[in-house]
Amino acid sequence: MERDVLQELLDAWRRAGIVTEEQVDRIRAHEAARPVAAPPPPSGTPVLRAAEVPARAADRRARIAEVVGYVGAAFALGAVGLLVAEYWPDLVVWARVALAAVLTSVALGAGVLLRGRAADSDAIDRLVGALWAVGVAGVAWTTGIVAWDVAGVDERWMPSVVAGVAALVAAVLLALGRHVLVQLAGFIALGSAVAGTLVAIAPLEPGPLAFGVLITGGAAAWGLAGAGGWLGPRRSAEITGAVFTLIGTQVLTATGWPRPALAFGIVLALVLVLLSIPGGRLHLLYIGAFGLFVNVPRLVVELFSDTLGAPATLLTTGVLLILMAVGLGRLRRSQEVDHA
C-alpha cells in the first residue's frame, strides 16, 4: 500500500474514532521503518525463477564451450594439414605415429571428459559427438600409418584393416553415447571395411552388381536396426539407411539391366513413403518422394524412349501422386477431427 493512501486512511479512521492519535503514530512509525517493496514488472515481462538464472548461465557457457571446441578443432586440423604438406616426408615413422596418436587421443579423451556433462546440455552433447567422430578418423589415420609403415600390411588388405579398426572404435563409442556424427562415421567405416574385404578376397574385380547389392542390403539392414531401436540415434540411422539404399539401386543401374534396377528403386521408394505414414516419419516421406522423382522419369524414358508415351506416363504418374497426397492429407485431417 502506498504511504499517501495510508495517510489518508489513517486520518479518516482517526476522525471516525476507529483509532486513536497514539495508534496512528504507532502505525506511521511501523510503516516508515518497513522497506518499500519493489514495483511489479510490467505486463508481459518474463519473470525468472531463482533456479532458472544459474541454469541459463550454464547453458550459455555450454554453447560458448561448443563454439570454442569447434574453433580449436579447426585450428588443430589446419595445423596438421600444414605439417603433413610441408614436413611429412621428412618425419621418421615413429614421429608420424606419435603425431597421429596424440591428436587422436586428445580428441577421444576430450570427448570422454565432457561426456558426463552431455546429459545436461545439447551443446556439450553435440561437441562430444564431433570430437569422437574426429577421433574415429584419427584412429583410421593412426592405424593406416602403423599398418603400412610399421607392420608392412599388404596393400590389398589395407582398406579392410584401417576401416575395420575404425569401425570397431566407432561401435565402442556408440555404446557409450548415441551421437549422429559417430554413427555416420561408423557406417562409413563399416561399409569401407566390408567393401575392402570383398575386393581383397574376390578372384576378379567386383563389378556394379556386387557393390550395388552390398550397398543396398547393408544400408537396408542399417536402417532396420535403427528403426528397431538397436542402433541410435534412430532418426539418423533411418535417414542413412534410406538414402544409401536408394544410392545402391542407382549403382545397380550400371549393371547393363537398368530397367529392373530402376523398377526396384521405385518399389523401395514407395515402401519408404508407406513406412512414413503410420509413425509420422516425414524424413522417410521426403527421401521416398525424392527417390520416385529420380527413378520414375528414368524408367519411363527407358521404356518409351522418344515416343509420346513418355510424357503421357509422367503426367499420369504426377497426377496420381498429387491425388494420393490429397487423399492422405484429408484422411489425416478426418482422423484428427474424429479423435477431437
Side-chain angles (χ1 to χ4, degrees):
M1 182 181 297
E2 296 184 2
R3 302 192 188 278
D4 293 340
V5 176
L6 177 63
Q7 183 62 41
E8 294 178 0
L9 291 174
L10 288 175
D11 292 340
W13 295 339
R14 181 174 50 79
R15 287 193 298 268
I18 300 174
V19 293
T20 64
E21 186 69 32
E22 182 183 358
Q23 290 173 332
V24 170
D25 293 337
R26 290 173 59 188
I27 293 174
R28 286 175 181 168
H30 174 75
E31 292 297 320
R34 187 169 60 88
V36 179
S43 177
T45 303
V47 179
L48 291 179
R49 297 183 178 89
E52 293 180 355
V53 176
R56 291 199 174 188
D59 187 59
R60 183 165 56 251
R61 288 194 299 269
R63 290 197 296 268
I64 294 174
E66 181 184 18
V67 173
V68 172
Y70 292 153
V71 173
F75 283 0
L77 292 176
V80 170
L82 292 176
L83 285 174
V84 171
E86 295 292 335
Y87 304 106
W88 192 255
D90 301 327
L91 296 177
V92 297
V93 173
W94 290 110
R96 298 177 182 180
V97 174
L99 176 62
V102 167
L103 292 174
T104 302
S105 300
V106 168
L108 295 176
V112 171
L113 292 176
L114 290 173
R115 177 171 170 256
R117 297 289 307 278
D120 301 328
S121 172
D122 292 338
I124 297 298
D125 187 64
R126 291 191 298 268
L127 179 58
V128 171
L131 289 171
W132 279 354
V134 172
V136 172
V139 167
W141 184 27
T142 306
T143 304
I145 298 173
V146 173
W148 182 258
D149 293 330
V150 179
V153 174
D154 189 275
E155 182 179 2
R156 180 179 59 172
W157 290 99
M158 278 294 295
S160 302
V161 173
V162 172
V165 174
L168 181 61
V169 173
V172 173
L173 295 176
L174 276 177
L176 294 176
R178 297 185 170 190
H179 301 280
V180 175
L181 291 179
V182 177
Q183 184 193 102
L184 183 59
F187 176 79
I188 294 173
L190 182 60
S192 301
V194 175
T197 303
L198 176 64
V199 173
I201 64 177
L204 299 176
E205 184 177 356
L209 178 61
F211 284 112
V213 172
L214 176 64
I215 295 173
T216 303
W222 190 272
L224 291 174
W230 297 293
L231 181 66
R234 172 180 173 179
R235 187 170 184 269
S236 61
E238 290 179 350
I239 291 175
T240 302
V243 170
F244 278 89
T245 298
L246 294 179
I247 290 176
T249 62
Q250 297 304 303
V251 175
L252 289 173
T253 59
T255 58
W257 300 286
R259 294 180 182 179
L262 290 171
F264 182 50
I266 292 173
V267 171
L268 288 179
L270 288 173
V271 169
L272 292 176
V273 172
L274 294 176
L275 289 176
S276 69
I277 298 174
R281 303 173 185 173
L282 292 179
H283 51 284
L284 296 182
L285 174 62
Y286 296 148
I287 297 171
F290 183 76
L292 292 175
F293 179 78
V294 171
N295 288 303
V296 169
R298 291 187 61 187
L299 181 60
V300 169
V301 171
E302 285 286 340
L303 292 175
F304 298 100
S305 187
D306 296 330
T307 63
L308 185 61
T313 303
L314 287 176
L315 178 61
T316 304
T317 304
V319 171
L320 290 176
L321 289 175
I322 293 174
L323 293 176
M324 183 179 69
V326 173
L328 291 174
R330 291 182 63 85
L331 176 61
R332 180 177 180 180
R333 175 63 179 170
S334 63
Q335 289 176 346
E336 292 177 351
V337 172
D338 293 339
H339 287 304

